[in-house]
DNA sequence: TTTTCCATGTAACTCGTTACATGATTTC
DNA sequence: GAAATCATGTAACGAGTTACATGGAAAA
């Protein structure tokens, strides 16, 4: 549902074609969603069938024609519906990535530290990436800030965890 | 993949049957995953076909026989593989729930505040739920703590956002 | 001139959910 | 006696990904 919401939200600002939409999402929202091209095209087709958007073709020289989409009235209503639902509800954020934490005891401490450091590195990278995103007016900026806060909190927590494991390791190794 | 990882991780501790696995996950990990029964059964069948687990039937009176699963050697290896992968990589946590934030400008301020308060309520509820989870030995507890830290950070952030919107609203309404 | 970018799409697949079905047992 | 729990499953569906295909234009 959220992919549809993004497309509608962007189209609510201005008409855009599929490639453009995908491109914008990839370069400005990559930290919170990964929308594949084929999914974007598929979704736009679906929205058109449902009457939420309409197409107009734009020819640019010899290139494949751009299919520029715009919201219909029905689309605007649908957009508001999805937006309200999204804002009002908290979908237990899929923390797939953290599940392994529950089973940390099943890898030895050196390995654990090294694996978690790799993870740390990636989160750090993600955080850096959010800094490359150009500034946007209005609420869009909130999303980016939210992501930054989240990533920073993840990083802090990970640091503490790694410290704990290192200390445990010292204790265990001096005891044996 | 993470559902498979959980099943393997639990089976690595002790043999369990499908219902029991599902039940444990539902009551102890509901804050980070929602594994449906049919998915659990399906996954266990799949793991068996792949040789990662074996079954033994246990009859209890007239009930449908319990299918108790245990890890094979191959299963243990597979488990370690998935666990390493999970620990070392950060899958940009699916923040589907927050996407709407980017489009907050498209709802009027009173509505926004009210929607976000509903969201706040739900996160708060989630946080309370983590407190009902019984204590677990070892690393399992880290997962719960991680979730709590995350939820708290979400709550803090939301509070600030709601405040900002309220202030904006005041400014806008006195100006007009 | 080779690579990257622009611009679209299709077919097959995977993962997971929904909705259904069964039937004994325990609890209220 | 009704409702919840125990215990399993199947069939159909849905969302999204992967891998592929096409071909001109711009940049390296």
């Amino acid at each position: 549902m959220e992919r549809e919401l993004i497309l509608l939200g962007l189209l609510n600002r201005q008409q855009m074609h599929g490639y453009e939409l995908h491109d914008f999402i990839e370069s400005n929202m990559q930290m919170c969603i990964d929308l594949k091209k084929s999914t974007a095209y598929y979704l736009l087709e679906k929205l058109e069938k449902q009457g939420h958007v309409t197409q107009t073709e734009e020819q640019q020289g010899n290139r494949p024609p751009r299919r520029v989409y715009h919201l219909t009235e029905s689309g605007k209503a649908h957009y508001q519906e999805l937006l309200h639902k999204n804002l009002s509800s908290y979908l237990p954020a899929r923390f797939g990535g953290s599940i392994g934490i529950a089973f940390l005891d099943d890898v030895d401490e050196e390995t654990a530290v090294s694996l978690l450091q790799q993870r740390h590195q990636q989160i750090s990278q993600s955080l850096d990436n959010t800094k490359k995103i150009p500034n946007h007016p209005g609420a869009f900026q909130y999303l980016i800030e939210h992501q930054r806060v989240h990533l920073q909190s993840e990083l802090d927590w990970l640091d503490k965890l790694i410290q704990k494991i290192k200390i445990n390791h010292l204790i265990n190794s001096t005891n044996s």
Side-chain angles (χ1 to χ4, degrees), chain A:
Chain A
M1 262 330 58
E2 68 223 35
R3 286 153 221 271
E4 211 172 304
L5 174 62
I6 296 173
L7 294 176
L8 292 168
L10 295 177
L11 290 176
N12 184 53
R13 306 192 167 167
Q14 49 177 295
Q15 52 169 58
M16 282 179 157
H17 59 275
Y19 192 92
E20 201 181 357
L21 282 160
H22 173 261
D23 195 52
F24 180 88
I25 293 167
E26 193 166 68
S27 43
N28 294 282
M29 309 176 82
Q30 103 283 2
M31 70 300 190
C32 49
I33 199 119
D34 175 29
L35 176 70
K36 305 294 175 183
K37 263 181 203 168
S38 30
T39 308
Y41 289 124
Y42 162 72
L43 246 29
L44 289 167
E45 253 180 45
K46 200 191 79 177
L47 287 169
E48 202 198 0
K49 273 181 200 156
Q50 294 172 338
H52 297 316
V53 299
T54 52
Q55 264 190 43
T56 51
E57 288 209 354
E58 249 181 35
Q59 193 74 40
Q60 302 270 314
N62 238 345
R63 292 188 183 174
R66 292 176 173 173
R67 315 209 146 173
V68 179
Y69 292 93
H70 3 77
L71 275 194
T72 61
E73 281 312 306
S74 139
K76 282 180 192 172
H78 185 49
Y79 169 51
Q80 282 291 326
E81 206 183 300
L82 290 187
L83 181 54
H84 282 227
K85 217 176 277 179
N86 184 282
L87 286 171
S88 65
S89 62
Y90 171 73
L91 300 168
R94 302 224 168 154
F95 255 123
S98 328
I99 294 272
I101 301 291
F103 304 112
L104 248 188
D105 296 328
D106 294 336
V107 298
D108 61 90
E109 282 146 341
E110 286 105 329
T111 316
V113 168
S114 137
L115 293 171
L116 292 176
Q117 276 166 349
Q118 284 174 53
R119 166 186 281 253
H120 190 283
Q121 171 59 34
Q122 283 182 49
I123 300 179
S124 212
Q125 180 65 50
S126 255
L127 187 57
D128 286 349
N129 284 343
T130 69
K131 285 166 192 162
K132 289 177 195 151
I133 299 169
N135 270 18
H136 290 272
F140 200 96
Q141 204 58 31
Y142 292 151
L143 182 65
I144 297 168
E145 275 160 33
H146 175 255
Q147 192 65 16
R148 281 206 265 262
V149 167
H150 164 64
L151 289 171
Q152 191 56 58
S153 126
E154 281 290 284
L155 236 33
D156 293 345
W157 187 80
L158 242 194
D159 280 332
K160 280 182 203 154
L161 181 60
I162 291 172
Q163 280 313 310
K164 268 188 210 168
I165 298 170
K166 278 185 180 166
I167 290 169
N168 276 348
H169 184 49
L170 278 179
I171 295 169
N172 292 343
S173 58
T174 45
N175 276 1
S176 64

